[in-house]
Amino acid sequence: MRQLNIFAVNRLSRIFVSSVLLMSSVTAHTQTIAKELQDDPNRAAGNFYALPIGKMPKDTPAPKGKKPFYFNHYGCPGSYYREMSTVYEQPYAVFAKADSLGKLTKLGKDVKMRLELLRNDAKDRIGELTSKGVEQCREQVRQIVQRFPDLFAADSYFSGRSLVENNCIMTTQEAMVHLSSLVQPLDINLNASHKDMRYMNPQDKALLALRWDSLTQARYDRFMALNTGNARLMKSLFNDQNFLIKETDPVALSRQLFVLAGSIQHTDLAGKVTLYNLFTPEEILSHWKKLNAKYYIMNGACTLNGSTQPFMQSATLRNMIHMGDSAQNRIAPMGHLRFTNENVVMALACLMELDNCGLQTDNLDSIDDMGWKSYRIAPLGGSIAMIHYRSELGDSDVLVKVLLNGEEARLPIETDCAPYYHWDDVKRYYLRKLYRYENKRLNEEAKE
């Protein structure tokens, strides 16, 4: 009996120590995230974070004799003004009405002035690329030219494709025009067509219907409720609680102010106006966690809605594979620069399982602890690029390297030359993944 007691005590001790270590790990990671947001609050904007420019990532040298010959790229638009005027108009209207009735505190009056500046700055510019977006486009192209000079031979061909959306069209134009100024002569083609939507922004009604099913919505609503606290902020802005209750939605208003706070970084008002100082560090972290969870449900392999949302980009991935095969028969180097929206790039990164983007869990409280951070996956100015390497035309062992936002990414595939992967292995892995999903879906539909 004594030995059993000792055994039980030891087992309980191990469980306790393990629990403490796990809690310490989660706490440490949360502290790291909090520090990242404290160091740069703009990260809290999620995929509306502006990818920093100016730093040239380092490339691992390709295996001996291998040179890049095909550049396959899907990018987010550069920094732009929000696509709906209501983002600027609605919160300003609330503050303007409150001010007319004498319901604003001193801080509230100051915030009203800031909102007016943001509203005026965005007037007649909805959805347009900002000057920062232009800089991002030029920097991205400059880095491609400097990092992969072998792509730009005498007979090289580059094409730019865009969604039929203003910010994407302007991004594509800026990138291709700047590329033509850096490399001459260069055969370039530029286009924006609804025809390309089938692979640049594919839609799947069945997957959309599953995205916010009743279980997922209930869990997200609960998560939102646990991470929402607006009383302090509202009290600092308004001097009449009756006005707040009757004339506003404090939860919605707090969210609108936070969205605008993250939008300033893209404009010329950055460094001159801020709204982040309205929020405490804890409130910034809370708002970001809600945004991060929303992006994960919409684009990640969240098990609440079946881990299937990344397959929205099945046609996109198939197109990448098809073009990768087609490019092998071309003598001269070639590149395709395609610009789509942030959600497409994020879902594609999850479908390809780049780094830890393929995370599968139903625990919305811990996705950030597990490293799933939206501002690292598909920020504005971000991209996924797959570069193909060969030693000569007809090389039977083509290699590929994938860049996520310019940095070498890890793929869920075995390789003997990381961060380079054998094209046949990459193609086989992704085609099998798509086949398994499509076959399972057909079987389920047949049973209905």
Side-chain angles (χ1 to χ4, degrees):
M1 182 66 69
R2 179 181 177 83
Q3 289 178 336
L4 287 174
N5 288 337
I6 292 174
F7 175 78
V9 170
N10 287 340
R11 182 172 181 273
L12 287 172
S13 297
R14 288 197 298 272
I15 293 173
F16 175 75
V17 171
S18 297
S19 299
V20 170
L21 289 174
L22 177 61
M23 291 174 63
S24 299
S25 176
V26 169
T27 301
H29 204 89
T30 302
Q31 290 174 342
T32 300
I33 295 168
K35 187 174 188 312
E36 286 184 11
L37 297 181
Q38 185 177 356
D39 292 342
D40 185 1
N42 286 317
R43 290 172 174 152
N47 66 0
F48 212 70
Y49 174 55
L51 185 69
I53 58 177
K55 180 183 177 182
M56 182 80 78
K58 293 183 179 179
D59 287 290
T60 302
K64 188 176 181 180
K66 302 289 187 180
K67 294 182 179 180
F69 69 94
Y70 178 48
F71 190 86
N72 198 355
H73 164 281
Y74 277 86
C76 305
S79 290
Y80 63 90
Y81 289 98
R82 292 282 182 171
E83 296 173 295
M84 297 179 64
S85 60
T86 52
V87 172
Y88 304 94
E89 297 292 346
Q90 286 183 351
Y92 174 76
V94 171
F95 277 80
K97 182 174 183 178
D99 191 32
S100 69
L101 297 174
K103 306 300 183 182
L104 291 179
T105 64
K106 182 179 179 181
L107 176 61
K109 289 179 179 290
D110 183 60
V111 170
K112 174 183 173 274
M113 292 175 60
R114 298 184 221 175
L115 293 178
E116 187 170 12
L117 285 173
L118 300 178
R119 173 175 172 258
N120 292 339
D121 181 58
K123 186 176 177 59
D124 299 325
R125 296 176 175 176
I126 299 303
E128 291 185 4
L129 212 62
T130 65
S131 57
K132 185 163 191 173
V134 171
E135 291 178 18
Q136 287 176 311
C137 296
R138 294 179 177 180
E139 176 68 10
Q140 186 176 151
V141 168
R142 182 185 70 82
Q143 289 194 11
I144 293 171
V145 173
Q146 291 190 5
R147 293 173 69 178
F148 310 105
D150 292 309
L151 288 170
F152 303 95
D155 297 324
S156 295
Y157 169 81
F158 272 74
S159 73
R161 292 289 182 270
S162 168
L163 288 190
V164 188
E165 295 178 7
N166 204 17
N167 46 54
C168 292
I169 292 173
M170 294 179 73
T171 297
T172 309
Q173 289 177 334
E174 190 64 45
M176 299 307 290
V177 168
H178 193 58
L179 180 59
S180 65
S181 72
L182 295 176
V183 182
Q184 296 178 354
L186 184 64
D187 187 9
I188 284 180
N189 180 275
L190 178 63
N191 193 24
S193 171
H194 288 290
K195 183 179 180 181
D196 297 325
M197 293 282 282
R198 69 184 187 277
Y199 66 89
M200 288 183 60
N201 188 17
Q203 299 296 308
D204 187 315
K205 292 181 180 180
L207 284 176
L208 286 172
L210 288 173
R211 178 173 290 174
W212 293 103
D213 60 19
S214 57
L215 172 63
T216 307
Q217 188 67 60
R219 287 286 294 273
Y220 183 67
D221 289 345
R222 174 181 173 276
F223 180 78
M224 287 279 287
L226 292 173
N227 286 279
T228 296
N230 307 294
R232 185 209 62 80
L233 175 62
M234 293 298 109
K235 187 175 181 180
S236 72
L237 299 173
F238 300 93
N239 58 30
D240 187 341
Q241 294 302 303
N242 288 327
F243 174 85
L244 272 177
I245 295 171
K246 294 180 180 179
E247 303 292 339
T248 71
D249 179 347
V251 174
L253 183 58
S254 178
R255 183 172 61 248
Q256 289 167 342
L257 291 173
F258 194 77
V259 166
L260 279 177
S263 302
I264 297 172
Q265 62 184 294
H266 307 287
T267 73
D268 292 338
L269 292 174
K272 303 173 185 176
V273 179
T274 184
L275 291 176
Y276 276 125
N277 61 2
L278 301 180
F279 303 88
T280 66
E282 293 76 19
E283 289 168 347
I284 290 175
L285 177 61
S286 178
H287 274 286
W288 174 75
K289 286 172 75 74
K290 290 183 288 187
L291 273 177
N292 200 48
K294 181 180 179 181
Y295 292 137
Y296 180 63
I297 289 171
M298 292 175 59
N299 302 308
C302 179
T303 56
L304 288 174
N305 53 20
S307 303
T308 56
Q309 289 303 307
F311 287 98
M312 186 77 74
Q313 306 311 318
S314 293
T316 311
L317 183 53
R318 282 192 180 279
N319 181 264
M320 290 186 76
I321 294 171
H322 169 70
M323 296 308 300
D325 272 345
S326 300
Q328 294 188 50
N329 299 320
R330 183 178 168 82
I331 298 175
M334 177 171 65
H336 289 125
L337 302 181
R338 302 182 179 95
F339 291 95
T340 180
N341 63 52
E342 311 89 87
N343 286 312
V344 170
V345 175
M346 180 176 283
L348 181 60
C350 294
L351 181 59
M352 297 176 70
E353 303 170 67
L354 303 182
D355 294 334
N356 66 336
C357 294
L359 173 69
Q360 294 189 27
T361 183
D362 63 352
N363 191 341
L364 300 180
D365 296 286
S366 300
I367 55 173
D368 44 346
D369 298 326
M370 298 175 192
W372 205 96
K373 304 175 185 179
S374 49
Y375 57 83
R376 289 187 173 181
I377 300 174
L380 294 190
S383 63
I384 296 172
M386 181 179 285
I387 305 102
H388 294 239
Y389 291 75
R390 68 187 179 195
S391 56
E392 59 184 358
L393 183 64
D395 187 350
S396 62
D397 186 24
V398 171
L399 302 179
V400 295
K401 175 172 74 171
V402 177
L403 305 180
L404 178 60
N405 304 321
E407 301 284 351
E408 294 174 342
R410 183 179 66 254
L411 275 60
I413 301 165
E414 291 186 4
T415 181
D416 56 1
C417 52
Y420 298 88
Y421 297 80
H422 299 277
W423 173 237
D424 286 342
D425 294 339
V426 172
K427 182 172 62 173
R428 184 183 306 110
Y429 179 87
Y430 287 133
L431 287 177
R432 285 180 175 176
K433 179 175 182 176
L434 294 175
Y435 172 78
R436 285 194 299 268
Y437 164 71
E438 290 161 2
N439 189 52
K440 180 181 178 182
R441 179 166 167 175
L442 284 172
N443 290 334
E444 290 175 350
E445 290 174 353
K447 294 176 183 178
E448 295 178 355

